[in-house]
Amino acid sequence: MTEARHASGGPRSAWTRLSDHLDENSEGYGPLRGTLGAGRIGMIWLAANLVVTTLLTGTLFVPGVSWPTALGMIVLGTLIGGAVLVLVGNMGTRTGLATMSLTKGSFGLRGSYLPVAANVVILMGWSWVQAMLAGVTVNFLVAQATGFSNPVLFSVLCQALVVALAVLGHEGIARVEPWLAVVILGIMAWVFTVAFTSYPVADFAALPLDPGAGWSSIAVLDVVIATAISWTVLSAEFNRLARRQSAGMIGSGTGYVLSTVTAMSLGATAIAYVVLDGGEAVGFDPTVLVAAFGAPLAVVVFLSVMATNTMVVYGMVSSVVNLTPSRKLRFLPTALVLGAVSILGSTWLGLLDQFTSFLVLIGSLFIPVFAIMLVDYYLVKRGAYAADILRGRGGRYWYRGGVNSAAVVVWVVGAASSLVLTYVLPSSVGGTIPTFVVSAALYLGWALTTRKVVAGRPVQRHLADTPAGAGAGDAVRFSASGEPEETADAPR
C-alpha cells in the first residue's frame, strides 16, 4: 500500500494523519442530518445519564429530608428540568445545530461566545469531578488490597485515560456506551435488591430526619432541576441525531427521565441503607457506597466515568474548535491543551466538597440562557432560524456588532437573581423556577416592546439543506410528525 504523503510529496507523520482525521470527523461543526429513531435516542440518553455524579447527587438528600420526600422531589424536578432539556433538544432536531451553535440565534454571532465560554468552564468542572470520583474509588479498592493510598495519583491516571479515549477512542465509546448502560442497570438492580431484601420499605420511609444537614424539599427540587439544566448543554448535540422531532422528543424525554430517576433514587436508597445498617450518612462519597455494596458498585463508578467523561471532554474540545465558522483551531492540539488542564484540575479533590455549590453555579449561569433560547426560538422567531445563523458575520443574527445586548443583559440579571434567591434572600419556591420565569419574561418583554416578534408563520428548513449565507426564502415546513414537507417561501 502506498504510504500517505504530504502535498509536498513527503510521507505524512502519525501526528499529521491523526490530526487530519480528527479535523475531518469532528462532530459538532455545522448542521447534521439525523437518522436515528426514538429507541436509539432513548438509549443514548439512558446511557449518558447513568453516571456516578447523578447517583451520588441522590446521596446528598437523605436523611436531610425523608426518603419518600427525596424520591418525590427527584421525580418532580426531573420532569420540570427534563421539559427544558427536551425543548432545547428539539431545536437541534429541527435545525441540525448543536446547543451552543443555537445560542447564536438569540445572543448574536459574537454574543454566543459568552455562553460557549461558560459551557467550556462548566464541562471542565464536570470532567474534574468525575475523574476525582473514579480516582477516589480506585484508590479505595487499591488501599484495601495493598495498603497503598494516593487518591490524587489515581484521579490523574483516570483523567489521563479519559483524555486519551477522547482523542483516540470516542467513536468506540459512543458505540459501546449503550451496552455499558445495560451492565450498569443490571448492577443498579442488584443494589436495589440488596437494600430492599435487607430492610422493608417501611424502614426506609421511617428513617429519622437530620435537620442539621440543611436540606429542605425545595432545596432538593432546585438541585434536581439544576442537574437537568447541566445536561441540557448537550441536548441539541444528541437530539439533532434524531430523524424526526417525535423521535427526538420521545427518546430524550423517556431516556433522561428514566436514567435520572433511577440513578438518583438509587443514591437516596443506598445512603438510607447505609444509615439503617449503622453507618454514617456521608453524601457524595463513592467509597461509602462501595464499602457497603462491594466491588460491583465500584464497577458502576468506573465504567460510568470512563464512558461519560470521555464524551464530556470530547464535547468540550468540539465547543472550542467549532466556535467560529472559520475553523481556525485544529482539534488535536486543542484537545491536548484542554486535556492537560483537565488532568491538572483533577488533583483538586476539594472540589468534591463543593459539589452542591457547583450545581448552583451551573443553574445560575444556564437557566437564564435556556430561558432566552426557548423564548427567542419558539415565541420571538416563531420556531424558525434562517441560514444566516451559519454565517461568520452579518445577516439577521448579527444584531449590533455581532451581539444582542438585550440577551446579554437578561442573562446577567437572571444569573444574579438566581444567586440572590439562593444565598441572600432564599425563596420559598426555590431559585431555579423563579429565575427561569424572570429571564423568560424579561426577554419576551423586550421583544414585544421593540417589536422583534416575527409576524406570520415562518417555516424552518433543516440547515443541512441550506447553503451558508442563504436566506430563508426557500425553506421546508416541518409537519406535526416531524417530517419535512414541501418547499415554501418564508414570510419576511
Side-chain angles (χ1 to χ4, degrees):
M1 182 178 293
T2 304
E3 185 176 16
R5 294 178 177 273
H6 287 293
S8 60
R12 298 171 66 207
S13 65
W15 169 278
T16 302
R17 292 196 300 272
L18 176 60
S19 182
D20 290 345
H21 172 77
L22 290 170
D23 285 332
E24 291 168 4
N25 295 279
S26 176
E27 298 170 4
Y29 177 69
L32 294 180
R33 169 69 73 184
T35 60
L36 303 182
R40 186 69 177 90
I41 294 295
M43 281 301 297
I44 288 174
W45 277 104
L46 187 70
N49 207 34
L50 287 175
V51 65
V52 62
T53 48
T54 307
L55 187 157
L56 291 179
T57 299
T59 68
L60 296 170
F61 307 145
V62 178
V65 299
S66 70
W67 180 71
T69 297
L71 298 189
M73 291 300 101
I74 287 170
V75 172
L76 179 60
T78 300
L79 292 174
I80 294 172
V84 175
L85 181 148
V86 168
L87 288 172
V88 172
N90 189 49
M91 294 167 63
T93 306
R94 290 172 60 87
T95 62
L97 294 180
T99 310
M100 290 299 108
S101 295
L102 287 164
T103 61
K104 295 178 182 180
S106 50
F107 282 81
L109 300 182
R110 287 179 174 169
S112 66
Y113 295 176
L114 294 173
V116 168
N119 183 45
V120 171
V121 171
I122 293 302
L123 289 178
M124 183 67 77
W126 272 120
S127 74
W128 291 349
V129 169
Q130 293 194 73
M132 294 169 198
L133 293 174
V136 168
T137 302
V138 172
N139 179 76
F140 178 77
L141 295 177
V142 171
Q144 279 193 323
T146 68
F148 176 78
S149 177
N150 192 329
V152 171
L153 171 63
F154 289 112
S155 297
V156 167
L157 291 176
C158 286
Q159 187 64 3
L161 178 58
V162 162
V163 172
L165 289 172
V167 174
L168 301 174
H170 73 277
E171 294 173 339
I173 289 292
R175 284 194 293 268
V176 304
E177 193 170 20
W179 298 105
L180 293 179
V182 173
V183 174
I184 292 171
L185 278 173
I187 297 175
M188 285 183 168
W190 173 78
V191 172
F192 274 122
T193 300
V194 170
F196 291 128
T197 54
S198 300
Y199 299 95
V201 172
D203 285 0
F204 287 86
L207 194 69
L209 300 183
D210 178 12
W215 285 95
S216 65
S217 59
I218 198 66
V220 173
L221 183 67
D222 270 350
V223 167
V224 177
I225 295 175
T227 300
I229 295 301
S230 72
W231 277 105
T232 304
V233 298
L234 296 173
S235 59
E237 272 86 345
F238 290 163
N239 279 28
R240 66 183 179 152
L241 302 177
R243 64 171 173 259
R244 61 175 65 186
Q245 293 179 77
S246 58
M249 297 182 78
I250 294 172
S252 60
T254 303
Y256 178 77
V257 169
L258 286 178
S259 60
T260 301
V261 171
T262 300
M264 275 197 192
S265 298
L266 179 66
T269 301
I271 200 67
Y273 169 86
V274 169
V275 175
L276 289 172
D277 212 38
E280 183 180 359
V282 180
F284 216 77
D285 185 349
T287 63
V288 173
L289 302 188
V290 172
F293 293 97
L297 199 58
V299 172
V300 168
V301 173
F302 187 78
L303 290 181
S304 69
V305 167
M306 290 302 105
T308 305
N309 211 16
T310 294
M311 303 314 292
V312 165
V313 171
Y314 184 82
M316 176 171 55
V317 176
S318 294
S319 293
V320 174
V321 169
N322 300 310
L323 188 61
T324 62
S326 62
R327 298 192 75 189
K328 293 179 181 178
L329 295 176
R330 292 182 66 84
F331 191 95
L332 183 55
T334 304
L336 294 179
V337 171
L338 292 176
V341 174
S342 72
I343 291 172
L344 289 173
S346 66
T347 64
W348 179 28
L349 296 183
L351 180 60
L352 295 180
D353 297 327
Q354 305 297 324
F355 183 73
T356 303
S357 299
F358 178 59
L359 280 179
V360 170
L361 175 63
I362 292 174
S364 299
L365 288 177
F366 280 101
I367 288 172
V369 170
F370 296 132
I372 291 167
M373 288 176 66
L374 293 178
V375 169
D376 186 76
Y377 183 74
Y378 289 105
L379 300 181
V380 178
K381 304 299 195 307
R382 299 296 182 91
Y385 278 154
D388 281 1
I389 201 171
L390 303 176
R391 299 174 62 169
R393 62 179 295 121
R396 67 189 67 190
Y397 307 112
W398 187 245
Y399 295 99
R400 179 171 297 179
V403 179
N404 182 3
S405 56
V408 175
V409 170
V410 171
W411 183 24
V412 171
V413 172
S417 299
S418 177
L419 294 173
V420 168
L421 291 174
T422 301
Y423 294 114
V424 182
L425 299 171
S427 165
S428 60
V429 293
T432 54
I433 296 175
T435 297
F436 186 92
V437 172
V438 167
S439 302
L442 286 176
Y443 190 79
L444 181 59
W446 164 79
L448 292 171
T449 302
T450 56
R451 299 183 178 180
K452 300 294 184 183
V453 178
V454 173
R457 288 190 62 202
V459 291
Q460 175 67 67
R461 179 185 178 113
H462 193 287
L463 298 177
D465 301 331
T466 307
D474 54 348
V476 175
R477 184 185 301 279
F478 280 87
S479 68
S481 66
E483 291 287 2
E485 293 179 339
E486 74 283 350
T487 300
D489 288 338
R492 297 282 181 177

